[in-house]
Each structure stands twice: as structure tokens, then as C-alpha cells.
Amino acid sequence: MPHIAGLHYELHGPEGGEPLILSAGLGGSGNYWLPNLPALAERFRVILYDHRGTGRSDRALPDAVTVEQFADDMLLLMDGLGIGGAHVMGHAAGGIAALALALKAPARVNRIAVVNGWAKADPHFLRCFDARLALLRGAGPEAYLRAQPIFLFPANWISEHSAELDAELPHQLAQFPGRETMEKRIAALAAFDAAGRLGEIAAPVLVMASADDMLVPSNAARRLADGLPNARLVLRPTGGHAINVTCADTFNQTVLAWFAGDSPQ
């Protein structure tokens, strides 16, 4: 399996296509993007990777983890692959990592898409993660993972896909990064605060959110878009936190237009 600096990665799409890095959310697995990969790989050279500490990447983490380290890992991937610049799309944790990358190395970032992200942790977001951590610490990984869909998906979608979610649980348990890793990653997300520096990000940023996101309030996306000098806000009425999964076709059309240089409606 290919690795760069301990990071597992995959390449998809035409070799001559524009590079597009996909950065996952809290779970960190590149497989999160599988519902979107075929559509994106028709047009772009997609770099799919597992965050450090998760999936098939090196599981060792430093004592303290920061979002800036997430950005450093994307730079390591780009350097290892000989990529000067790339588009970047991130979901939640991956989205704020894209913002950190644009602040750290603006010349390496072309267009960005931040999906259900934020500039600074919202009180509701922190309350949700306190509850999730309490489950993890008190009842263990299986209870944590069984509760996870409540935060990711709309209620009706969960009802309609309950059997699929149950079938995925053993695989999720087998790949679970461990309590310590999750605690470190959640602490990094809670500590991230780029609200005072958004004006420094010149790259075009698509800020996409769902009005019914149960984990990150859509107002966080509004505040993020308002603070960026070159942003486009797309707010969908439904889709939940994992809108790229629940509304994959519409999502794919929107981000394909964005990375092609168009402005989504």
C-alpha cells in the first residue's frame, strides 16, 4: 500500500487531471468520500488519504494534536507526489484543515470547498462532542459508533438506511482509531480558531452546509463565509452533517461546478 511520511494515500482519475485532495472529517478515513469519488475522478486527479492516526496511516500521534498538523500532512503529501498546487475539499475537520493549509501555504492551494465546517468551534458543537466523549469513555467504542449516525444523518435517512448502518458497524469497530486518538483529534478541533485570520485567505472558498446539521450549526458556515474575502455560501435545506453521503448526486454536481471554476447557485 502506498505511503508518504506514514500517510496512506490513493490516486484516482486521469494522470493529467488537476489535483484535488479530499480530506475527511473526524473519523479520518479517506473511504468517507467513496460516494463522491467516481464523479470527481472523471474530471480530476483525486488524492484520497487517511489522516495520521486513523485508517491505514501511521497510528502514532504526538502528545498534542493540532489542526495545523493536519495541514502539514497535506503538504507532505503534495511534496511527496511532486504537486505544486492543488484544489482541496474537506469535510468538517478536513475543511478546517484546508483553511489552515491556505493560511500556512497560500501558494499551494487553488480552490477550496469546506463542507459543514467552521472558523471557530460553536458552543453546540462542543456540547455534542462532550456527549460523544462521555459515551466513548463510559460505554466504549461500540456505543460511541452506534450513536454516531444521530449526529451525522437526518432522522428519516437513518430510518431508511438502518440495516446498512448496522452492517457497517463491525467494520467501523475493526478500524476504530482508539479512544486516545479520538480525544486528541476532538481537542484539536475544539481549539482551532481562525476567525481573526479569515481575511488572509485569498483562495476562492465554497462554504457548503446543511440547515439540518445536528452537529455543526449552519450559522457556523454563515459566519465562516462572511469572514472570507472570496467565499460562496451554499446552504442546503437538508442533508445533515454528512451531506455528501445523503445527497451525493446534488453534492457532486455542486462541487464539480465549483472546482471547474463556476459559481454554484
Side-chain angles (χ1 to χ4, degrees):
M1 294 189 294
H3 285 73
I4 290 174
L7 297 168
H8 175 271
Y9 72 95
E10 300 173 10
L11 299 175
H12 299 268
E15 290 189 13
E18 297 176 72
L20 169 60
I21 298 173
L22 301 183
S23 188
L26 178 64
S29 172
N31 287 339
Y32 175 75
W33 297 105
L34 291 181
N36 318 111
L37 182 60
L40 296 173
E42 285 186 11
R43 167 71 172 76
F44 297 98
R45 185 63 161 172
V46 177
I47 299 104
L48 204 67
Y49 77 103
D50 295 340
H51 286 207
R52 191 176 304 279
T54 75
R56 295 152 292 181
S57 290
D58 185 352
R59 291 297 184 97
L61 290 176
D63 291 339
V65 174
T66 68
V67 172
E68 286 71 24
Q69 291 167 3
F70 299 171
D72 290 338
D73 280 342
M74 282 194 275
L75 284 174
L76 286 171
L77 279 174
M78 294 170 72
D79 290 343
L81 293 169
I83 296 170
H87 302 305
V88 182
M89 178 160 65
H91 176 257
I96 64 174
L99 299 175
L101 178 61
L103 288 168
K104 180 184 287 284
R108 307 292 297 275
V109 179
N110 298 331
R111 295 173 79 86
I112 298 171
V114 176
V115 184
N116 285 330
W118 60 92
K120 179 180 180 180
D122 182 270
H124 174 77
F125 162 90
L126 296 174
R127 186 182 299 270
C128 288
F129 273 107
D130 283 344
R132 295 177 75 183
L133 283 174
L135 265 177
L136 181 58
R137 293 164 181 158
E142 182 170 349
Y144 173 91
L145 290 169
R146 283 193 179 279
Q148 185 166 258
I150 297 170
F151 299 97
L152 297 185
F153 308 119
N156 287 335
W157 193 94
I158 293 173
S159 293
E160 294 163 5
H161 295 81
S162 183
E164 297 167 42
L165 294 171
D166 288 343
E168 289 174 5
L169 183 62
H171 306 288
Q172 293 173 335
L173 276 169
Q175 292 294 317
F176 191 67
R179 193 186 90 177
E180 184 178 358
T181 291
M182 297 307 289
E183 295 221 17
K184 288 179 179 181
R185 286 174 62 79
I186 289 171
L189 305 190
F192 180 75
D193 183 357
R197 298 190 62 192
L198 295 179
E200 301 174 32
I201 298 176
V205 182
L206 173 66
V207 179
M208 194 171 182
S210 309
D212 63 350
D213 187 343
M214 282 295 295
L215 182 60
V216 180
S218 58
N219 282 341
R222 292 184 186 275
R223 290 190 292 269
L224 173 59
D226 287 345
L228 290 164
N230 194 7
R232 175 75 177 183
L233 175 65
V234 173
L235 182 61
R236 299 294 185 187
T238 187
H241 188 63
I243 188 173
N244 61 299
V245 177
T246 60
C247 303
D249 290 343
T250 301
F251 177 90
N252 293 341
Q253 292 170 10
T254 300
V255 297
L256 280 168
W258 174 254
F259 288 119
D262 298 330
S263 185
Q265 296 300 312

